[in-house]
Every structure is written in structure tokens, then in C-alpha cells.
Amino acid sequence: MVAARGSGGGPDHDAIVQYIRERYPDAFIATAMGATFFSCDESSWPNFATLVTPDEHDTAPVSNLARPGVFRLNISLGRERFAQLVGGQRSPDFAALDILMPHPVYAPQNWACILNPSTESFDNVVKPLLDEAHERLARAAKAKGRISN
């Protein structure tokens, strides 16, 4: 389990979108239904990350995203990395801020999430995981001939 607890005051939704846009210039970004999706392949949408603000994407409002300013960053992980970081968590508090945990709906597909990461968590936990997720998806898209780099 990764208790990614920082001192608060982390990046907001827009700052994370900007970070991803600058860090991964090959990323395709789409916004729909209160969510922002980040992919390496415009013709197919396995995403490497999503940002969501409404609870409507969950089977129940377990993350309580209706709270002012609260958002959830979802990150696609490889099977081993998911097991290493969050796979052992049982009944996490899906509404807790700044804790890396299994996604409330997509954990079976190896997605992890964090609500409102602190600056410390964003720098030390989220950024490396985004790098891994982007690289894995970019490699897959390149193998399918959908990107050239």
C-alpha cells in the first residue's frame, strides 16, 4: 500500500492537465461528461490517465466528488505495479484525499486513483506513475503502427 500523504496544497485539476499536456506532447486529450481523458492513440481509447470531477462515472458516489474542488486522478498501471502498490488494499476509503488506492470501479483492470494529490504526492508518486502509464501505452500504440515515435 502506498500512503501518499503530503502536506496538501497540491496541483489543481487544470494544473494537472497542463502538466500532462507539456510532459507528453504526443498525448491526445479529450473532455466529455465531466472527465478529461489522456491517450496516446486518437483512434483507440485505452487511456493512460483520466481526471474526473463528477461521481456519475462510479457505480455509487464512493469518492464523494461533489465536494467543492475535489477531483480524482485515475492512472492505468501494469498488473505487477498495481499489485505492488495498491493490490493488497481491502475496503479503502475511496473519499480520502491524497492517498493512492485502487480505483473504485476499474481496479480489476489495474487502475489506481488518488483524490487531490498534494504537491509531495504528485511529485514523488503520481509523476513516476504517469511516466510508466504513458510509456506503456505509447509502446503499445507504436507496436500497432498508430504512432511513429
Side-chain angles (χ1 to χ4, degrees):
M1 174 168 102
V2 175
R5 294 184 184 182
S7 57
D12 65 10
H13 177 282
D14 293 342
I16 293 173
V17 171
Q18 187 63 29
Y19 170 80
I20 291 173
R21 184 183 318 273
E22 291 173 3
R23 176 79 176 160
Y24 315 107
D26 62 332
F28 294 96
I29 302 172
T31 304
M33 304 176 297
T36 306
F37 303 89
F38 306 94
S39 182
C40 295
D41 184 352
E42 190 173 33
S43 65
S44 175
W45 280 92
N47 309 305
F48 66 89
T50 61
L51 271 167
V52 296
T53 53
D55 283 309
E56 70 186 53
H57 302 283
D58 297 343
T59 54
V62 294
S63 295
N64 193 15
L65 297 176
R67 293 174 285 171
V70 175
F71 61 90
R72 184 177 65 223
L73 174 60
N74 307 312
I75 306 170
S76 173
L77 303 178
R79 182 177 295 125
E80 294 80 20
R81 193 70 157 138
F82 179 87
Q84 173 192 28
L85 295 175
V86 299
Q89 293 184 30
R90 301 292 177 249
S91 304
D93 177 0
F94 291 114
L97 303 179
D98 196 33
I99 296 177
L100 187 70
M101 64 187 95
H103 189 281
V105 176
Y106 298 110
Q109 288 83 22
N110 301 313
W111 281 78
C113 66
I114 186 168
L115 277 67
N116 293 60
S118 66
T119 299
E120 180 182 346
S121 296
F122 191 73
D123 289 344
N124 297 323
V125 177
V126 171
K127 285 180 177 180
L129 292 177
L130 286 171
D131 284 346
E132 289 176 26
H134 173 267
E135 175 59 29
R136 192 177 62 259
L137 198 64
R139 198 171 42 245
K142 185 176 181 182
K144 291 177 183 177
R146 292 190 172 141
I147 61 172
S148 57
N149 305 15

